[in-house]
């Protein structure tokens, strides 16, 4: 095996530099394309949730087959909204924000400093987002109860599972206090908000 000449070494280092410059550009391009694709989908989901109507056909009800659709997002939006409210209850209104936060973490947060290692900050934010979703559904179920305008109760199917479990283990008041504490901690993990600063 012949040793590398200085010319070959220079060519290899130049190729490595060019590849390292092109790689971040390509990553930035893919991130931009992903954001352009995700943002309209989140707006579509938000429009379908805001314009939800019980007379529209959906996952949990037939609705009016011959009547006009009230949902801005059409038939697909009516089904999406009905499914989201059936599973999450009133917390479904936060689903676009939750999905946007998860997408942002997946695209930009896992390696924010570019050292090739996963940072723990975005992972904690992801835990906070999931914890907020689960605990908020349970809290809405224990406090809100029945909701005639929704397919399930105010916390959805997830809220029923979490709320009933907390009530069985900690009782009525204890379950509410525990879920409220988890909601506050999850918001702190997800956003970095300091409740002491809010109180001040």
């Amino acid at each position: 095996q012949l040793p590398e000449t200085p010319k070959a070494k220079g060519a290899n280092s130049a190729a490595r530099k060019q590849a390292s410059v092109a790689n971040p550009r390509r990553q930035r391009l893919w991130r931009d394309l992903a954001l352009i694709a995700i943002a309209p989908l989140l707006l579509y989901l938000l429009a379908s949730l805001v314009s939800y109507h019980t007379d529209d056909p959906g996952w949990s009800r037939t609705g009016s087959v011959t009547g006009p659709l009230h949902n801005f997002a059409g038939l697909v939006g009516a089904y999406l909204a009905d499914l989201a409210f059936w599973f999450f209850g009133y917390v479904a209104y936060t689903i676009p924000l939750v999905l946007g936060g998860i997408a942002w973490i997946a695209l930009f947060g896992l390696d924010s400093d570019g050292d090739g290692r996963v940072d723990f900050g975005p992972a904690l934010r992801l835990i906070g987002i999931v914890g907020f979703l689960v605990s908020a559904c349970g809290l809405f179920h224990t406090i809100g109860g029945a909701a005639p305008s929704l397919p399930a109760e105010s916390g959805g199917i997830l809220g029923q599972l979490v709320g009933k479990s907390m009530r069985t283990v900690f009782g009525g008041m204890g379950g509410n206090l525990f879920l409220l504490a988890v909601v506050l901690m999850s918001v702190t993990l997800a956003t970095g908000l300091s409740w002491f600063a809010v109180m001040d």
Side-chain angles (χ1 to χ4, degrees):
Q1 185 177 357
L2 296 175
E4 285 188 351
T5 61
K7 276 187 178 181
K9 287 182 181 179
N12 287 337
S13 63
R16 284 193 207 102
K17 285 181 181 178
Q18 187 174 2
S20 64
V21 170
N23 195 21
R25 287 180 181 172
R26 189 177 303 144
Q27 288 180 354
R28 197 178 305 117
L29 176 63
W30 283 114
R31 288 173 179 172
D32 292 344
L33 291 175
L35 282 178
I36 292 171
I38 290 171
L41 293 177
L42 295 179
L43 289 175
Y44 180 82
L45 179 58
L46 180 62
S48 65
L49 292 171
V50 170
S51 60
Y52 174 75
H53 200 278
T54 54
D55 291 338
D56 292 337
W59 177 266
S60 63
R61 63 189 78 198
T62 56
S64 176
V65 180
T66 58
L69 280 173
H70 301 86
N71 201 301
F72 296 153
L75 185 62
V76 175
Y79 272 91
L80 282 176
D82 189 71
L83 181 61
F85 283 120
W86 177 76
F87 198 75
F88 298 107
Y90 285 118
V91 186
Y93 285 115
T94 65
I95 293 297
L97 289 176
V98 168
L99 293 179
I102 293 174
W104 185 268
I105 289 171
L107 292 173
F108 298 99
L110 294 179
D111 185 20
S112 57
D113 52 3
D115 60 353
R117 298 179 182 178
V118 174
D119 301 326
F120 286 105
L124 290 177
R125 290 183 186 275
L126 185 60
I127 292 173
I129 289 172
V130 175
F132 167 78
L133 198 61
V134 174
S135 57
C137 287
L139 191 61
F140 266 98
H141 170 75
T142 56
I143 294 176
S149 61
L150 296 183
E153 296 182 0
S154 57
I157 298 299
L158 181 60
Q160 291 178 15
L161 293 175
V162 176
K164 287 178 182 177
S165 301
M166 292 298 104
R167 190 177 297 167
T168 302
V169 175
F170 298 106
M173 186 181 71
N176 289 345
L177 291 175
F178 180 80
L179 288 172
L180 180 61
V182 175
V183 167
L184 296 178
M185 288 189 296
S186 299
V187 170
T188 299
L189 282 176
T191 63
L193 177 67
S194 172
W195 294 108
F196 292 105
V198 171
M199 287 187 289
D200 290 340

